[in-house]
Amino acid sequence: MHFTRMSDYADHDVPVIVKGSGPYVYDENGKRYLDGLSGLFVSQVGHGRTELAEAAAKQAAELAYFPLWSYAHPNAIELAERLAALAPGDLNRVFFTTGGSEAVESAWKLARSYFKLIGQPSRYKVISRDIAYHGATMGALSITGLADIKPMFEPLVPGSVRVPNTNFYRAPLFADSLEDFGKWSADEIERAILREGPDTVAAVFLEPVQNAGGCFPPPPGYFQRVRQICDKYGVLLVSDEVICAFGRLGHYFGSERYGYQPDVITFAKGLTSGYVPLGGMLVSDRLMEPFLEGDTTFLHGVTFAGHPVSSAVALANLDIFEKEDLLGNVKANEAHFRAALEGLRDLPIVGDVRGDGYFYGIELVKDKTTRETFNDEECERLLHGFLSGALYDAGLICRADDRGDPVVQLAPPLICGPAELDEIASILRSVLGEAGSHL
Ligand SMILES: Cc1ncc(COP(=O)(O)O)c(C=O)c1O
């Protein structure tokens, strides 16, 4: 199993999910669960959408497979055009992959080869944030800032550098000013560029809202300052939107929500709502230019990228976004969601509630006043020993996680309205209310 402690299942069964309908899924015993994590930040339009199944079947019957190596097919062309039209600014070129890690790999390889082609071959390094997850393949894992998941695979790809993330709750020096904290965090990127040598740095990889660690939104002005720094030193800004694109934050792209212009956007997950795998990157016209000349080739590709069936499903998925105004639904209900989760702050274990759109983290603490967190043993008892199982038993799928400080994460399907958002908060209230007695 992926990223799963398999001994956890020595004395009980692996949950087997057999069916989905709207925001709910069902296990093999017929028990219903509210899918408060959209599977894994994926199922934007919800489960059981026959339109998407039909789009896949139709395309498989017409042309199941053809590569994007020297060929094209109509769905990939149409999807690329549609994504380019939706993407901010001059992000007009699309390179498809099959998922998020490959998208991140592709972005790093593109950055390295771009700089070689324009006569700056010494630029190969990347900067990313502490605790940020950018994928599991060797390049993407090297960019990832989760120190604990790397040692088993070292040595990793050289040239990946960490800077602080934007966890304001754990930034006591800036207790009074989110803006000052944002400026300091962005300036840490400049300091890292200067330390490494500006002519060695190719790109900065940042998520609009950092997932791992428990949903850190950017402080006001953070991305504007990062953009200035990237421009000053000629470094590319890659917005890793594998989670934050396709409505998660109420916009097609997370960068739109915070008003910054990336040079590259990486995406996957919600583009197809998970009915089939697909990912990719959107890059600016400027980055594409050197690849259009002479005998130059972007020497990179994977067999199933932009698969005809995946592209057909992505188009049908975007049709649902438009028909049902899913971005409008998130915008209309995000304040309700925030209020429902903020309402849990009276529980002794709830330290912080943070996020945006339909993407929230609740940080759990031992002591609310001092913000003291749990030690490793307590975390183990709380998360593995109690919370993960209890939330599931109570009918809520979400993520209880301790990569960083312990958090519970929520990312419901974008079709959810007040009733489902309240159901999430009500299950959390009963389970988190009990958690203290299981330490
Ligand atoms: C921000 C980010 N980048 C990259 C990835 C890797 O995507 P995948 O699991 O599709 O390879 C993830 C996965 O959760 C992610 O959240």
Side-chain angles (χ1 to χ4, degrees), residues 125-203:
K125 294 179 188 169
V126 289
I127 292 173
S128 61
R129 295 184 288 198
D130 280 335
I131 317 182
Y133 181 74
H134 291 285
T137 51
M138 289 303 257
L141 181 64
S142 305
I143 299 175
T144 286
L146 287 158
D148 290 352
I149 68 168
K150 300 166 81 155
M152 294 294 267
F153 310 104
E154 284 169 348
L156 294 175
V157 182
S160 178
V161 176
R162 287 303 76 66
V163 291
N165 57 49
T166 61
N167 184 357
F168 186 56
Y169 186 65
R170 296 282 171 203
L173 281 179
F174 297 95
D176 294 335
S177 172
L178 188 53
E179 283 78 6
D180 287 353
F181 174 59
K183 181 167 185 314
W184 174 83
S185 312
D187 287 348
E188 280 294 296
I189 293 174
E190 179 169 33
R191 285 186 274 277
I193 292 172
L194 291 171
R195 246 189 341 265
E196 294 299 319
D199 60 346
T200 71
V201 181

Side-chain angles (χ1 to χ4, degrees), residues 41 99-102 104 133-136 207 211 240 242-243 268-269:
F41 314 101
S101 300
E102 276 176 11
V104 169
Y133 181 74
H134 291 285
E207 292 162 88
N211 169 45
D240 183 357
V242 166
I243 289 179
K269 296 190 186 264

Side-chain angles (χ1 to χ4, degrees), residues 42 95-107 133-137 140 240-243 265-272 276-281 300 302-307 310:
V42 163
F95 183 87
F96 286 117
T97 65
T98 65
S101 300
E102 276 176 11
V104 169
E105 294 284 341
S106 304
Y133 181 74
H134 291 285
T137 51
D240 183 357
E241 307 202 5
V242 166
I243 289 179
I265 290 178
T266 49
F267 59 85
K269 296 190 186 264
L271 172 58
T272 58
V276 283
L278 185 61
M281 61 176 173
H300 176 61
V302 288
T303 302
F304 288 134
H307 192 284
S310 304

Side-chain angles (χ1 to χ4, degrees), residues 1 43 65 70 75 79 93 108 121 135 203 228 231 249 291 323 339 379 420:
M1 297 173 87
S43 312
Y65 176 72
S70 309
N75 288 335
L79 181 60
R93 301 291 187 160
W108 195 2
Q228 280 173 357
D231 289 344
L249 301 174
F291 294 92
K323 229 173 5 201
C379 250
E420 292 83 16

